[in-house]
Amino acid sequence: MIKVAVLGATGMVGQRFIQLLANHEFFELSDLAASPRSAGKPYYKAAKWYLDSEIPENIKDMIVKEIDPKKIDAEVVFSALPSDVAKEVEPKFAEAGFIVASNASAYRMEEDVPLLIPEVNPEHLDLIEVQKKNRNWDGCIITNPNCTTIMAVLSLKPIYDNFGLEKVIITSMQALSGAGYSGVPSMAIVDNVIPFIKKEEEKVETEGLKILGKFDGERIVPAEFKVSASCNRVAVIDGHTEAIFVKTSKGATPEEIKKVMRDFEALPQKLKLPTAPEKPIIVREEEDRPQPRLDRDAGGGMSISVGRIRKDSIFDVKYITLGHNTIRGAAGASVLNAELLVKTKKI
Amino acid sequence: MIKVAVLGATGMVGQRFIQLLANHEFFELSDLAASPRSAGKPYYKAAKWYLDSEIPENIKDMIVKEIDPKKIDAEVVFSALPSDVAKEVEPKFAEAGFIVASNASAYRMEEDVPLLIPEVNPEHLDLIEVQKKNRNWDGCIITNPNCTTIMAVLSLKPIYDNFGLEKVIITSMQALSGAGYSGVPSMAIVDNVIPFIKKEEEKVETEGLKILGKFDGERIVPAEFKVSASCNRVAVIDGHTEAIFVKTSKGATPEEIKKVMRDFEALPQKLKLPTAPEKPIIVREEEDRPQPRLDRDAGGGMSISVGRIRKDSIFDVKYITLGHNTIRGAAGASVLNAELLVKTKKI
Amino acid sequence: MIKVAVLGATGMVGQRFIQLLANHEFFELSDLAASPRSAGKPYYKAAKWYLDSEIPENIKDMIVKEIDPKKIDAEVVFSALPSDVAKEVEPKFAEAGFIVASNASAYRMEEDVPLLIPEVNPEHLDLIEVQKKNRNWDGCIITNPNCTTIMAVLSLKPIYDNFGLEKVIITSMQALSGAGYSGVPSMAIVDNVIPFIKKEEEKVETEGLKILGKFDGERIVPAEFKVSASCNRVAVIDGHTEAIFVKTSKGATPEEIKKVMRDFEALPQKLKLPTAPEKPIIVREEEDRPQPRLDRDAGGGMSISVGRIRKDSIFDVKYITLGHNTIRGAAGASVLNAELLVKTKKI
Amino acid sequence: MIKVAVLGATGMVGQRFIQLLANHEFFELSDLAASPRSAGKPYYKAAKWYLDSEIPENIKDMIVKEIDPKKIDAEVVFSALPSDVAKEVEPKFAEAGFIVASNASAYRMEEDVPLLIPEVNPEHLDLIEVQKKNRNWDGCIITNPNCTTIMAVLSLKPIYDNFGLEKVIITSMQALSGAGYSGVPSMAIVDNVIPFIKKEEEKVETEGLKILGKFDGERIVPAEFKVSASCNRVAVIDGHTEAIFVKTSKGATPEEIKKVMRDFEALPQKLKLPTAPEKPIIVREEEDRPQPRLDRDAGGGMSISVGRIRKDSIFDVKYITLGHNTIRGAAGASVLNAELLVKTKKI
């Protein structure tokens, strides 16, 4: 068993980390850390638990520690920190020899930091060697993409591999949990849509190109298609829904797209990583699916569901993709990254 | 005063018609008609009034009639009928000499039927002469577009006129009222999005080309750009929100687009038609507007609000458009059509 | 294994029955029956599956049968039928020798029909003998209470046993699923409360007295306290919340009430019935719990959660009770009834 | 015209004050004040306007001032301050000679401060003389009750006058706006109910007794019936709904209760105060009204709507009352208080 800790353990993504790690096959959750406001308290007092299960028994009374490498007893730390805190703190952990599996955006686009979806670009893990050399670190930082990026890029991967990509237009309808527990006031969203999410479109438009890029031994050469996004908040608890319009390089019919999505196989499934869903992409044939309340928990929240794959009169195809934003799009993504690292690098 | 009647007076669009016509400058609401289930009853018993105002006093006790040209005393009938009923009934009214201002989709795409947005294509009214001749009718049918089409096409009009259009991609987040009072069960939409609306995308992809087409004296020559749509239902009472990506013919910057939208002037405003809003298009500069709950009632529900006009990396610009789907997108649209006809043709 | 069937298998309660019975320790789900519209179709085509899990694999292709005792191969039938259909059909099944475990209201208040909550009045099962004799049936009908009644009466049971009851005032905030999938239009409930549920208050005000009544060998002598209810619908998918004010006979403090609820033990738990939750009543100490989204699934949806137990200045105590209305309040209630019958009567 | 100012002008109640005062018959809105964060900015920059109308033109560019009696040019100040700030600041304004019409709870229960509903206890205004003498102030503080109290007590007033009151049990389902714009996170309330509102039940249980008490020339002798409340938050934007159970002193039938509510006349209506609704109490006969989305705006948000008046088996009657919590329950209440003072005391 490998000892792991969660940084930012009291927030919503932190709670999902705890849920996923409480009884993990590889990992033993040995420490929780959070802001000074929470440090020193037993976890059940520090966190307002918002999930519809109870706090795991073995976690409830753990004393929350400060976010300080010297106080944490673990090999891997999972970071659910806000971006500005992550920016400052994560390098300190990496320098101190920890593997940092981060959900924060702070280092995602750094040249020598892997931005991973284990089903999509596991080979980018090799960038760790470059990173360690560059920065003279004993540990390292690996990151997962933005939640909206993940649902899109995972669905695009088999298309990219088989038909190439030229243009991708994405309009998202994103869940409330993506903004954190207090992020969206109810007064702002009941009977409403907010057609804006700060810095989200920029992330969606750039991260995918890095993820689908090629590692040339030194750096990632980004993929060359174009992405444009329009991001919206809707009154849904969990589960991001995205309407995607795709122009491929070679041309592709809806049936061809369905086939390559259905046939899609990936490394985490072959390695039987504990958090890997049986099917990373579930293709649905109903005329009105996927829907967040019905499909977000597919594959334990780690599968994405794709539906309404149909011909597009301007590009080639259009479809709907959906996934659980705090599991596949955040905590589960980081845990899967760490599992991949453990299994392939034998740390 | 011109006598008018509402067909399909008990449903949601029917109620909006009554609200708009109860104290109208040109029109006197002389008759209400609805299905046999309602006929013969006083209106307040026949209709489950769902608006947040009371039934107008002068309407409450009117006896609902059958949908039969012989029983209706009016010059203009407003049709809020379901499409299949409209298909059968509207020609009978037109034949019997009524002007039918219809919100139904049944005849929108017929070659000799005007599909009107008074701010966009008032000259298409001349198609009435062709229609009357073709069909040997004393009356006529004029129609307004689908609610999602209207918010898009009204925003596209000044772009089309100034820069031309090549490609338009639209993802809608549509309100519940668009499906009728019982159209969307609450179990289907609370904490959810439904990424499908029956026959909606087809309407949005075709109607705009007719509306922006040219009347050549005989028929409408459709505009030649392409439209692709992905239509979604969200938990909003009234107000359709649409994320639009636009490729113009000549190229245009966000600032140029804002300017032509702001400067947009149209015939209904010049004619001071009673239902015409002061500004058909309101351009907003806040980073997170328009929003349905805050902006749907702008201009008495007859203005559309456009915001987040910004550069698009694939096409030229992307923006959000929003309007009240049962006022500007349905009953108000039909009433404005009839006002235009009255004022310009002096019926 | 005992063969069982579900009548009314396509609706929401029917789906919950299937979910609970698909892999049951005592029961083998051998037949599904529904209205003529569904009969003859494979289940996955007949039902619009609304739960956030998939249709169980072994059920998907079962052919739905007509609701006819001659066509059903089972010992026990679970009835999720609408009350008017149940009224006609359930006696036919009982006459034909089936045990009918019904969620319908049709026979709940009949003198010789047990109205059961297995944790509350398991001894009322003995009424079956009276019923069989009275009606000359080989089979029988056993029923579970209305969903709102259950959450109240289960919480009242330890109070009644220890302190007696004089007056109970209940205001409910009920979930949408209680009205069936299409029961509450979204237009009726988004940004709204409906302070009325047809025939609900009458049920809540009478059923509890029968359940807490005494079986004297011939009939149930109803309990003698008074119940008054005000029932409301709110925009919650599953989980009824109830504010309850209680006057006991002997007087009781909040601490005494908490203690008797915490110490409450019942027969289903002792018998380890498969659907019995470990704790039928969970007492919560947080100032703002129970809440439907967080607590409805406690004990697999079979526990009720009680919180905010506090002194009342008019009666003795007031508190909040909450439970899952389609599990503990419907399908799970019927299944638990049948399990009790099987285990105690050794059918 | 009397000059008035709003303290706490940027919050939700502050915005409602501005909406009500922008074109007032008696009052000229001459100053806005808010916290240091807002002071010095033009109003449209200081406030995130959340109402579905635009900021009034004459208000938009007003510079927000500090909350300091020396900086405010007005005769009356309306206070929408948080309770702790109000506690400190309001006496300074009163001392400096301002009439403070406060929506804050800080001074409501002080012995010499009138707690007013102008339709219910206008005679309590005379307490101002006692207050001025006690405190040696040139100005004074008058207050309006908590929003939940108002909807209950206004409905109880004609019952109290005609039949006396013994016991009142209230369960509220309260709107989100009552907690302020950021008070309830959407994650807390979508698909949920929160059965707790901090300090709310205490207010509801005490304020009504003071309001319905008698002024004996020196102090208010509180009314002697008992009130018990259970307060809940539901996913409604505006409009508190309350289920009320009432035991009168003399006994009363539902028909008698309806009659005295319908016949209820009060001073603000006789004086034709600008903000007084034509009917303070609207009695509805539909089986499922009042409902917040449909009835909150009745009488410009100043009428309460009462429905489902029916026999109660434990007390005498039970019914539903509903009103707009930020208009009748907050800003409108304070404005009406000030109007009453102006008209009757001729300030």
Side-chain angles (χ1 to χ4, degrees):
Chain A
M1 295 294 277
I2 296 163
K3 285 188 178 175
V4 302
V6 175
L7 311 181
T10 56
M12 285 204 312
V13 173
Q15 297 188 14
R16 287 285 182 201
F17 271 123
I18 288 171
Q19 202 181 37
L20 293 166
L21 294 167
N23 293 294
H24 196 278
E25 197 182 319
F26 297 175
F27 302 131
E28 183 198 338
L29 184 46
S30 58
D31 261 333
L32 302 174
S35 69
R37 205 168 38 81
S38 298
K41 296 184 190 162
Y43 184 72
Y44 81 95
K45 284 198 181 166
K48 171 108 182 162
W49 189 255
Y50 94 101
L51 301 177
D52 60 1
S53 56
E54 299 290 309
I55 304 180
E57 269 307 312
N58 54 339
I59 303 298
K60 240 168 89 174
D61 298 308
M62 281 176 68
I63 301 299
V64 176
K65 295 192 175 169
E66 284 171 60
I67 303 170
D68 178 344
K70 289 182 212 114
K71 313 224 161 135
I72 300 301
D73 172 27
E75 233 174 306
V76 177
V77 295
F78 292 100
S79 165
L81 296 168
S83 193
D84 55 335
V85 181
K87 180 142 208 142
E88 203 201 310
V89 162
E90 290 179 1
K92 292 183 187 166
F93 277 86
E95 197 174 10
F98 293 87
I99 292 165
V100 180
S102 175
N103 180 55
S105 65
Y107 292 95
R108 280 181 199 152
M109 297 304 290
E110 293 277 305
E111 275 232 325
D112 57 358
V113 174
L115 179 58
L116 283 181
I117 304 175
E119 283 90 346
V120 174
N121 61 339
E123 71 281 6
H124 287 201
L125 264 188
D126 293 337
L127 200 57
I128 292 178
E129 291 315 308
V130 181
Q131 184 190 130
K132 285 182 158 183
K133 205 163 57 182
N134 278 354
R135 307 197 182 224
N136 204 18
W137 283 348
D138 286 336
C140 64
I141 298 175
I142 60 174
T143 63
N144 57 269
N146 167 277
C147 47
T148 304
T149 303
I150 292 183
M151 315 314 164
V153 172
L154 184 46
S155 75
L156 289 170
K157 167 69 173 173
I159 306 179
Y160 185 66
D161 285 352
N162 287 281
F163 307 105
L165 282 173
E166 287 196 358
K167 293 171 189 166
V168 179
I169 283 183
I170 301 172
T171 298
S172 69
M173 290 159 279
Q174 299 184 218
L176 302 166
S177 57
Y181 191 75
S182 299
V184 182
S186 54
M187 284 298 296
I189 200 71
V190 168
D191 184 18
N192 208 11
V193 167
I194 305 174
F196 176 70
I197 300 173
K198 209 170 184 104
K199 294 192 193 163
E200 192 80 356
E201 293 168 2
E202 295 80 342
K203 290 173 193 167
V204 176
E205 292 175 355
T206 56
E207 292 179 3
L209 304 181
K210 177 170 178 182
I211 299 165
L212 290 172
K214 284 230 156 59
F215 178 55
D216 69 0
E218 280 296 305
R219 52 186 284 278
I220 307 297
V221 183
E224 288 203 331
F225 60 95
K226 282 185 175 168
V227 181
S228 176
S230 192
C231 292
N232 303 278
R233 189 76 68 191
V234 294
V236 165
I237 289 290
D238 290 311
H240 287 359
T241 308
E242 305 174 25
I244 302 196
F245 300 76
V246 178
K247 180 156 181 47
T248 65
S249 311
K250 300 186 188 168
T253 66
E255 286 313 313
E256 287 170 329
I257 299 288
K258 281 184 201 175
K259 185 171 166 24
V260 298
M261 285 190 180
R262 283 220 177 84
D263 295 348
F264 180 61
E265 294 190 342
L267 190 58
Q269 283 69 33
K270 282 171 208 155
L271 297 175
K272 296 189 188 301
L273 299 181
T275 301
E278 196 189 331
K279 282 165 170 267
I281 305 175
I282 295 171
V283 176
R284 300 203 69 107
E285 291 287 349
E286 300 93 330
E287 66 182 10
D288 61 356
R289 295 284 280 269
Q291 295 177 17
R293 207 182 68 237
L294 301 182
D295 296 307
R296 60 194 171 202
D297 289 328
M302 287 297 288
S303 296
I304 64 165
S305 296
V306 178
R308 299 204 70 216
I309 302 174
R310 59 208 194 282
K311 198 172 160 37
D312 181 63
S313 60
I314 293 181
F315 293 166
D316 296 326
V317 289
K318 48 186 173 182
Y319 61 82
I320 305 292
T321 184
L322 181 150
H324 195 299
N325 54 302
T326 65
I327 302 179
R328 170 52 87 167
S334 281
V335 172
L336 192 61
N337 281 353
E339 291 171 358
L340 178 71
L341 185 59
V342 165
K343 195 82 172 195
T344 59
K345 305 279 161 170
K346 295 164 195 94
I347 65 160
Chain B
M1 296 293 278
I2 295 164
K3 285 188 179 174
V4 302
V6 175
L7 311 181
T10 57
M12 285 204 314
V13 173
Q15 297 188 15
R16 286 287 182 202
F17 270 121
I18 288 171
Q19 202 181 37
L20 293 167
L21 293 168
N23 293 294
H24 195 279
E25 197 182 318
F26 297 174
F27 301 131
E28 184 198 337
L29 184 46
S30 58
D31 261 332
L32 302 175
S35 68
R37 208 169 37 81
S38 298
K41 296 183 190 163
Y43 185 72
Y44 80 96
K45 285 197 180 165
K48 172 107 183 162
W49 189 254
Y50 92 101
L51 301 176
D52 60 1
S53 56
E54 300 290 309
I55 303 180
E57 269 307 313
N58 53 339
I59 303 298
K60 240 169 89 175
D61 298 308
M62 281 177 68
I63 301 299
V64 176
K65 295 193 176 169
E66 285 171 58
I67 304 169
D68 177 345
K70 289 185 209 111
K71 312 220 162 139
I72 301 301
D73 173 27
E75 232 174 307
V76 178
V77 294
F78 291 100
S79 165
L81 296 168
S83 192
D84 55 336
V85 181
K87 181 141 206 138
E88 203 201 308
V89 161
E90 289 179 3
K92 293 183 186 166
F93 277 86
E95 197 176 9
F98 293 87
I99 292 165
V100 180
S102 174
N103 181 55
S105 65
Y107 292 96
R108 281 180 198 153
M109 297 304 289
E110 294 276 307
E111 275 233 324
D112 57 357
V113 173
L115 178 60
L116 283 182
I117 303 174
E119 283 90 346
V120 175
N121 61 338
E123 69 281 8
H124 287 202
L125 264 188
D126 293 337
L127 200 57
I128 292 177
E129 292 313 310
V130 181
Q131 183 190 131
K132 285 183 158 181
K133 205 163 54 183
N134 277 356
R135 305 195 183 227
N136 204 17
W137 283 347
D138 286 336
C140 64
I141 298 176
I142 61 175
T143 64
N144 57 269
N146 167 277
C147 46
T148 304
T149 303
I150 293 182
M151 315 314 164
V153 172
L154 185 47
S155 75
L156 290 170
K157 168 70 173 171
I159 305 178
Y160 185 67
D161 285 353
N162 287 280
F163 306 104
L165 283 173
E166 287 196 358
K167 293 170 189 167
V168 179
I169 282 183
I170 301 172
T171 298
S172 69
M173 290 159 280
Q174 299 184 217
L176 302 167
S177 57
Y181 190 75
S182 299
V184 182
S186 54
M187 284 297 297
I189 201 69
V190 168
D191 183 19
N192 209 11
V193 166
I194 306 174
F196 175 69
I197 300 174
K198 208 169 185 106
K199 294 192 193 163
E200 192 80 356
E201 293 169 1
E202 294 81 342
K203 290 174 192 166
V204 175
E205 292 176 355
T206 55
E207 291 178 4
L209 304 181
K210 177 172 179 181
I211 299 165
L212 289 172
K214 285 229 155 62
F215 178 56
D216 70 0
E218 281 294 305
R219 53 185 283 279
I220 306 298
V221 183
E224 288 204 330
F225 60 95
K226 280 184 177 170
V227 181
S228 176
S230 192
C231 293
N232 303 278
R233 188 78 66 191
V234 294
V236 165
I237 290 290
D238 290 311
H240 287 359
T241 307
E242 304 174 27
I244 302 195
F245 300 76
V246 178
K247 180 156 182 46
T248 65
S249 311
K250 300 186 188 167
T253 66
E255 286 314 312
E256 288 171 328
I257 299 287
K258 281 183 200 174
K259 185 171 165 24
V260 299
M261 284 190 181
R262 282 220 177 82
D263 294 350
F264 180 61
E265 293 190 342
L267 189 57
Q269 284 69 34
K270 282 172 208 154
L271 297 175
K272 297 189 190 300
L273 298 181
T275 301
E278 197 188 331
K279 282 165 170 265
I281 304 175
I282 294 171
V283 176
R284 300 203 70 106
E285 291 288 348
E286 300 92 332
E287 66 182 9
D288 61 355
R289 294 284 279 268
Q291 295 177 17
R293 208 182 67 237
L294 300 181
D295 296 308
R296 60 193 171 203
D297 289 329
M302 287 298 288
S303 295
I304 63 166
S305 296
V306 178
R308 300 203 69 217
I309 302 173
R310 60 208 193 280
K311 196 172 160 38
D312 180 63
S313 59
I314 293 181
F315 293 166
D316 296 327
V317 290
K318 48 185 174 182
Y319 61 83
I320 304 291
T321 185
L322 180 149
H324 196 299
N325 55 301
T326 64
I327 301 179
R328 169 52 89 168
S334 281
V335 172
L336 192 61
N337 281 354
E339 291 171 359
L340 179 71
L341 184 60
V342 165
K343 194 82 171 192
T344 59
K345 304 281 161 171
K346 295 163 192 97
I347 66 159
Chain C
M1 296 292 277
I2 295 164
K3 284 188 179 175
V4 302
V6 175
L7 311 181
T10 56
M12 284 203 314
V13 173
Q15 297 187 14
R16 286 286 181 201
F17 271 122
I18 288 171
Q19 202 180 37
L20 293 167
L21 294 168
N23 293 294
H24 196 278
E25 198 182 318
F26 296 175
F27 301 131
E28 183 199 337
L29 184 46
S30 58
D31 261 332
L32 302 174
S35 69
R37 206 169 37 81
S38 298
K41 295 183 192 162
Y43 184 72
Y44 81 96
K45 284 196 180 165
K48 171 107 183 164
W49 189 254
Y50 94 101
L51 301 176
D52 61 1
S53 56
E54 299 291 309
I55 304 180
E57 269 307 311
N58 54 337
I59 303 298
K60 240 168 88 173
D61 298 309
M62 279 177 70
I63 301 299
V64 176
K65 294 191 176 169
E66 284 171 59
I67 304 170
D68 178 346
K70 289 183 211 113
K71 311 224 162 136
I72 301 300
D73 172 28
E75 234 175 304
V76 178
V77 295
F78 291 100
S79 165
L81 296 169
S83 193
D84 54 337
V85 181
K87 182 144 206 137
E88 202 201 311
V89 161
E90 290 178 2
K92 293 183 186 166
F93 276 86
E95 197 176 9
F98 293 86
I99 293 165
V100 180
S102 175
N103 180 56
S105 65
Y107 291 95
R108 281 181 198 152
M109 297 305 289
E110 294 278 305
E111 276 232 323
D112 57 358
V113 174
L115 178 60
L116 283 182
I117 303 176
E119 282 90 348
V120 175
N121 60 339
E123 70 281 8
H124 287 201
L125 264 188
D126 293 337
L127 199 57
I128 291 177
E129 292 313 309
V130 181
Q131 183 189 130
K132 284 182 159 182
K133 206 163 55 183
N134 278 355
R135 305 197 183 225
N136 203 18
W137 284 348
D138 286 335
C140 64
I141 298 175
I142 61 175
T143 64
N144 57 269
N146 168 277
C147 46
T148 305
T149 304
I150 293 183
M151 315 314 164
V153 173
L154 184 47
S155 74
L156 291 169
K157 167 70 173 171
I159 306 178
Y160 185 67
D161 286 352
N162 287 281
F163 306 105
L165 283 173
E166 287 196 357
K167 292 170 190 167
V168 179
I169 282 183
I170 301 172
T171 297
S172 68
M173 292 158 278
Q174 300 184 218
L176 303 166
S177 57
Y181 191 75
S182 299
V184 182
S186 54
M187 284 298 296
I189 200 71
V190 168
D191 184 19
N192 209 11
V193 166
I194 305 174
F196 175 70
I197 300 174
K198 207 169 186 106
K199 294 189 193 166
E200 192 80 357
E201 293 168 2
E202 294 82 341
K203 291 174 192 166
V204 176
E205 293 175 356
T206 56
E207 292 179 2
L209 305 181
K210 177 171 179 182
I211 300 166
L212 290 171
K214 283 228 157 60
F215 178 55
D216 69 359
E218 281 295 306
R219 52 185 284 279
I220 307 298
V221 184
E224 287 203 330
F225 60 95
K226 280 187 177 170
V227 181
S228 176
S230 192
C231 292
N232 303 277
R233 188 77 66 190
V234 294
V236 165
I237 289 289
D238 289 311
H240 286 359
T241 307
E242 304 174 26
I244 302 196
F245 301 75
V246 178
K247 180 158 182 47
T248 65
S249 312
K250 301 186 186 168
T253 66
E255 286 314 312
E256 288 170 327
I257 299 287
K258 280 183 202 175
K259 185 171 165 25
V260 298
M261 284 190 180
R262 282 221 177 83
D263 294 349
F264 179 62
E265 293 191 343
L267 189 57
Q269 283 70 34
K270 282 172 207 154
L271 296 175
K272 296 190 188 302
L273 299 181
T275 301
E278 197 188 332
K279 283 166 170 267
I281 303 175
I282 295 171
V283 176
R284 301 204 68 106
E285 289 288 350
E286 300 92 330
E287 67 182 8
D288 61 356
R289 296 284 279 268
Q291 296 178 16
R293 208 182 65 235
L294 301 181
D295 296 308
R296 60 192 170 204
D297 289 328
M302 287 298 289
S303 296
I304 64 164
S305 296
V306 177
R308 301 203 69 218
I309 302 173
R310 58 209 194 282
K311 198 173 158 36
D312 181 63
S313 59
I314 293 181
F315 293 164
D316 296 327
V317 290
K318 49 185 172 183
Y319 61 82
I320 305 292
T321 185
L322 181 149
H324 196 299
N325 55 302
T326 65
I327 301 179
R328 170 52 89 168
S334 281
V335 172
L336 193 60
N337 281 354
E339 291 170 359
L340 178 70
L341 184 59
V342 164
K343 195 82 172 194
T344 58
K345 303 282 161 171
K346 295 166 193 91
I347 65 159
Chain D
M1 297 292 279
I2 295 164
K3 284 187 179 175
V4 302
V6 175
L7 311 181
T10 56
M12 284 203 313
V13 173
Q15 296 187 15
R16 286 285 182 203
F17 271 122
I18 288 171
Q19 201 181 37
L20 293 166
L21 294 167
N23 292 294
H24 195 278
E25 197 183 318
F26 296 176
F27 301 132
E28 184 198 337
L29 183 45
S30 58
D31 260 334
L32 302 174
S35 68
R37 206 168 37 79
S38 298
K41 296 183 191 164
Y43 184 72
Y44 80 96
K45 284 195 181 167
K48 171 108 185 162
W49 190 254
Y50 92 100
L51 301 177
D52 61 0
S53 56
E54 299 290 309
I55 304 179
E57 269 308 312
N58 53 338
I59 303 299
K60 240 168 87 175
D61 298 309
M62 281 177 69
I63 301 298
V64 176
K65 294 192 177 168
E66 284 171 59
I67 304 169
D68 178 345
K70 289 184 211 114
K71 311 221 162 140
I72 301 300
D73 172 28
E75 232 174 306
V76 177
V77 295
F78 292 100
S79 165
L81 295 169
S83 193
D84 55 336
V85 181
K87 181 143 207 136
E88 203 202 309
V89 162
E90 289 178 3
K92 294 184 186 165
F93 277 86
E95 197 175 10
F98 293 86
I99 293 165
V100 181
S102 176
N103 181 56
S105 65
Y107 292 94
R108 281 181 198 153
M109 297 304 290
E110 295 277 306
E111 276 231 326
D112 58 358
V113 174
L115 178 59
L116 284 182
I117 304 175
E119 283 90 345
V120 174
N121 61 338
E123 70 281 8
H124 288 201
L125 264 188
D126 292 338
L127 199 58
I128 292 176
E129 292 314 310
V130 182
Q131 183 189 131
K132 285 182 157 180
K133 203 162 57 183
N134 278 355
R135 306 196 182 225
N136 204 18
W137 284 348
D138 286 336
C140 64
I141 297 175
I142 60 174
T143 64
N144 57 269
N146 167 277
C147 46
T148 305
T149 304
I150 293 182
M151 314 314 162
V153 172
L154 184 46
S155 75
L156 290 170
K157 167 69 173 171
I159 305 178
Y160 185 67
D161 285 352
N162 287 281
F163 307 104
L165 282 173
E166 289 196 355
K167 293 171 188 166
V168 179
I169 283 184
I170 301 173
T171 297
S172 69
M173 290 159 279
Q174 299 185 218
L176 303 166
S177 57
Y181 190 76
S182 300
V184 182
S186 53
M187 283 299 296
I189 201 70
V190 168
D191 184 18
N192 210 10
V193 166
I194 305 173
F196 175 69
I197 299 173
K198 207 168 185 107
K199 294 190 193 166
E200 192 81 357
E201 292 168 3
E202 294 81 343
K203 292 174 192 165
V204 176
E205 293 175 355
T206 56
E207 292 179 3
L209 304 180
K210 177 171 178 181
I211 299 165
L212 290 172
K214 285 230 155 60
F215 178 56
D216 70 0
E218 280 294 306
R219 52 185 283 279
I220 306 297
V221 184
E224 287 203 331
F225 59 97
K226 280 186 175 168
V227 181
S228 177
S230 192
C231 292
N232 303 278
R233 188 77 66 191
V234 293
V236 165
I237 289 291
D238 289 311
H240 286 359
T241 307
E242 304 174 26
I244 303 195
F245 301 76
V246 178
K247 181 158 181 47
T248 65
S249 312
K250 301 187 188 168
T253 66
E255 285 313 312
E256 287 171 329
I257 298 288
K258 281 184 201 175
K259 186 172 165 25
V260 298
M261 285 191 180
R262 283 221 176 83
D263 294 349
F264 180 61
E265 293 191 343
L267 189 58
Q269 284 69 34
K270 281 172 208 154
L271 297 175
K272 296 189 190 301
L273 298 180
T275 301
E278 196 188 332
K279 282 165 170 267
I281 304 175
I282 295 171
V283 176
R284 302 203 67 106
E285 291 288 350
E286 299 91 332
E287 67 180 9
D288 61 356
R289 296 284 280 268
Q291 295 178 17
R293 209 182 66 236
L294 301 182
D295 296 308
R296 61 194 171 202
D297 290 327
M302 287 298 288
S303 296
I304 63 164
S305 295
V306 177
R308 300 203 70 216
I309 302 173
R310 59 209 194 280
K311 197 173 160 36
D312 181 62
S313 59
I314 293 180
F315 293 165
D316 296 327
V317 289
K318 47 186 173 183
Y319 60 82
I320 305 291
T321 183
L322 181 149
H324 196 299
N325 55 301
T326 66
I327 301 179
R328 170 53 87 167
S334 281
V335 172
L336 192 61
N337 281 354
E339 290 170 359
L340 178 71
L341 184 60
V342 164
K343 194 84 172 190
T344 59
K345 304 280 163 172
K346 295 167 193 92
I347 66 161

